[in-house]
Amino acid sequence: MAADKVLIIGSNGQIGLELAENLRKVYGENNVVCSDVRMLENQIAPFELLDILDVQRLHEIVKKHQITQVYLLAALLSATAEKNPKFAWELNMNGLFHVLDMAKEGIIKKIYWPSSIAVFGPTTPRVHTPQYTIMEPNTIYGISKQAGERYSEYYHQKYGVDVRSIRYPGLIGWKSAPGGGTTDYAVHIYHEALKHQKYECFLSAETTLPMMYMEDAIRATIDLMEAPAEKVKIRSAYNVAGISFNPEEIAASIRKHIPNFSISYQPDFRQAIADSWPQSIDDTRAREDWGWQPKYDLDKMTAVMLENIK
Ligand code: NAD
Ligand code: AKB
């Protein structure tokens, strides 16, 4: 049987850069093709320039490299999407349709498409949010993720498409910069702590959100994609939990390494987005179905973040 060949779409973003590094270890360097609308100075190869809205170019690349699996990461995140809701809907939905349709036609075999805790909304129970619960997202990003989940499940049930997804919490890593989300503060804070020993946070002190260290998120993604199909019982998207904390708690964790670190608060429009999201997540189904378990807590993540950014 021929080896799996993977295409990452949106490979130069916060998740894509780390995912590419790890998928290259699993499938081999030449079997992971990166693609994005922008090229980096130190771009790893093989790489193709691709706008996911250009369906013809997508087909050309898939054919050229004989791609079997697609990881679709190109999207506008919550804060950026609120500034350009029409385009966010177009990018987040049409990108997914292009890839789902290729799988429906049998051109590709497997899809990974990330969802988000943004699928939940202000009427959702906020603590230990269950897999199945009230979902009334009130951001354009959350609405697009919820619609994407419904479409993914529909394509699986109706056409047998092997599509898999995780509702990521806010992701935190040191190798790449975040791309316009509400949880981005939890990355910026480490850089500012090391540079200036202070940080002005755009969320209030008590805003607790679900978060996860990037290494855990990448491991969850690859574990889900490698799991036997019969174990993947949820084809909308799985809840996964890592760490829940608020700005005051991450600041306290940083102070264990930088005692004079100070934090101040200037909440902006992102506060309303954060207030509509859960504080913690029940990920029982991911643990039961494909063995998910996080490895990082807040202090362990802080130590690794500070050490590496330094
Ligand atoms: P990011 O913004 O850092 O990266 C997105 C990448 O997509 C960028 O490199 C960008 O250049 C590229 N891109 C944009 N438009 C494109 C287009 N038309 N065609 C091809 N590429 C395009 O985002 P990320 O944080 O890496 O997120 C990736 C996915 O994971 C998104 O679907 C996002 O909603 C989801 N997600 C991320 C987080 C998080 O905390 N980072 C949490 C939940 C879900
Ligand atoms: C964002 O803040 O938009 C993302 C997410 C939780 O989906 N980090």
Side-chain angles (χ1 to χ4, degrees), residues 142-163:
I143 295 168
S144 72
K145 290 295 183 190
Q146 201 199 16
E149 287 194 7
R150 298 288 86 231
Y151 270 102
S152 295
E153 193 179 271
Y154 182 83
Y155 269 67
H156 176 71
Q157 286 175 355
K158 197 99 180 157
Y159 310 117
V161 167
D162 190 351
V163 53

Side-chain angles (χ1 to χ4, degrees), residues 9-16 35-38 50-53 72-77 91 114-116 141 145 168-171 177-179 183:
I9 302 169
S11 63
N12 290 341
Q14 190 196 8
I15 300 174
S35 73
D36 204 291
V37 273
R38 62 194 171 105
L50 169 67
D51 180 344
I52 184 55
L53 298 177
L72 172 58
L73 304 179
L76 286 200
L77 275 76
L91 176 63
S115 186
S116 161
Y141 176 67
K145 290 295 183 190
Y168 289 137
L171 302 183
T183 58

Side-chain angles (χ1 to χ4, degrees), residues 140-206:
I140 194 66
Y141 176 67
I143 295 168
S144 72
K145 290 295 183 190
Q146 201 199 16
E149 287 194 7
R150 298 288 86 231
Y151 270 102
S152 295
E153 193 179 271
Y154 182 83
Y155 269 67
H156 176 71
Q157 286 175 355
K158 197 99 180 157
Y159 310 117
V161 167
D162 190 351
V163 53
R164 305 176 183 204
S165 181
I166 286 172
R167 291 173 183 152
Y168 289 137
L171 302 183
I172 300 161
W174 54 270
K175 294 185 184 172
S176 50
T182 302
T183 58
D184 293 9
Y185 91 85
V187 178
H188 300 320
I189 194 170
Y190 288 113
H191 290 267
E192 294 301 305
L194 283 165
K195 247 193 262 167
H196 304 298
Q197 292 78 55
K198 60 179 185 185
Y199 178 65
E200 185 180 276
C201 187
F202 57 76
L203 298 181
S204 66
E206 68 286 355

Side-chain angles (χ1 to χ4, degrees), residues 71-90:
Y71 286 72
L72 172 58
L73 304 179
L76 286 200
L77 275 76
S78 57
T80 320
E82 286 307 296
K83 293 181 182 158
N84 198 349
K86 285 234 162 81
F87 179 67
W89 180 259
E90 187 189 338

